Amino acid sequence: MDKKYTIKDIAELAGVSKGTVDRVLHRRGKVSPKALAQVEKILKDIDYQPNPIARNLKNNKVYRICVLMPDPKEDAYWTPAVQGIKDAAKEFKPFGVLVDRFYYGPYNRSSFLEKSREALQSSPDVLLMAPLFQKEALAVFTECQEKNVLVALFNNFINAFNSENFIGQDLYQSGRVAASLIDKLIDPAATAAIVHLDEEAHMKLKENGFKAYFNEKKNSPKIETFSLRTSDKQMLTKTATDLLKGNPKISAVFITNSKAYVFIKAIEELCKDITIVGYDLLDENIEFLKNGCIDFLIHQKPKRQAYLGVGYLAEHFLFGKPIPSQNLLPIDVITPENVKYYLD
């Protein structure tokens, strides 16, 4: 059986004082080459593994993780992510890991920059962010490099961050999954619409995956892409209704974010004869899934993404574990029959 060795045990085996062993283990103070060699030999023989948590607690070491993400009060999609962050923060707080959240307006680029500055002013060890704005995110990334602050991403992938740590879904592949679902339900002579509501950079990856799927098939529907804003409900209703009435061959719509329910409310009764695929388990999306207005939802697991984002970083600091360069979560397809198994 493995034995738990104390500093006293190691000192006796190496023939040195406990103080010498302590200096070797903590890399402090002077130790003669002979004593160092004796202690290191014993450490190797017993396969000594330091306890980083105990060391952190003894040294009062605190690691600070700042999370920069959209405000859940402005976009309900992010509410589960907040809970995931809270769960991870509670789990690792006793070991000296502190997690602070900074919310920015999901439609406000200046808010993103303002909140990123607030986060960096708190001198974090790492900035975990869900970036909606590519240009501004790159500016923040550059500032983090200058300040020697580690950067990790969750939920939204930005191509320019190829070398950085990312936790989320393969957005391109999720677009292909959406196309595969629609392909099974509509006639090849029909038209499929891709609808971006409040378009963001990451939606293009989903669009590309969707189009690539059909480009590889001999007989495929015509693909039309539309970008709509949701801030003006009256204008959205008119635009969405005109879109469908002006394109009567549209028999399927792929909504590239969590706002499928917004589109359905805008088109009202027109949704009954249209296949709709969207994203995320928002309450209103689930309601429309159950009543048949939405055919499928792709679950992006925002709570899991955020929890893992904090957890991987905490374990990196506490245990020296490498942070996965990319952790792509499974792409789950939700139907009325299985949705209850995904609800907390």
Side-chain angles (χ1 to χ4, degrees), residues 281-295:
L281 301 184
L282 276 65
D283 290 343
E284 290 170 295
N285 280 346
I286 293 171
E287 181 181 344
F288 283 126
L289 179 72
K290 289 179 177 179
N291 69 23
C293 287
I294 294 177
D295 294 89

Side-chain angles (χ1 to χ4, degrees), residues 61-72:
K61 175 62 178 176
V62 174
Y63 296 104
R64 186 176 298 278
I65 299 173
C66 285
V67 182
L68 179 64
M69 61 178 289
D71 191 337

Side-chain angles (χ1 to χ4, degrees), residues 51 121 162 302 335:
N51 185 337
Q121 285 173 0
N162 277 333
T335 70

Side-chain angles (χ1 to χ4, degrees), residues 211-224:
K211 289 180 175 178
Y213 173 89
F214 283 115
N215 287 339
E216 295 167 8
K217 296 181 65 68
K218 292 183 179 179
N219 297 314
S220 61
K222 181 181 179 182
I223 309 297
E224 297 281 1

Side-chain angles (χ1 to χ4, degrees), residues 181-197:
L181 294 170
I182 286 175
D183 185 35
K184 293 173 175 59
L185 297 176
I186 69 170
D187 190 285
T191 297
I194 301 170
V195 176
H196 301 308
L197 296 176

Side-chain angles (χ1 to χ4, degrees), residues 68 104 108-118 133 135-137 139-140 143:
L68 179 64
Y104 66 87
N108 189 331
R109 295 174 183 270
S110 61
S111 172
F112 176 83
L113 291 173
E114 177 186 347
K115 291 300 178 179
S116 68
R117 283 192 291 268
E118 287 184 23
F133 309 113
K135 180 180 177 181
E136 289 74 11
V140 173
E143 187 174 355

Side-chain angles (χ1 to χ4, degrees), residues 146-170:
E146 293 171 353
K147 295 184 176 181
N148 198 31
V149 175
L150 184 66
V151 176
L153 309 180
F154 76 100
N155 192 83
N156 287 26
F157 182 74
I158 293 181
N159 287 330
F161 284 69
N162 277 333
S163 62
E164 290 307 303
N165 309 300
F166 172 70
I167 299 158
Q169 277 191 346
D170 184 332

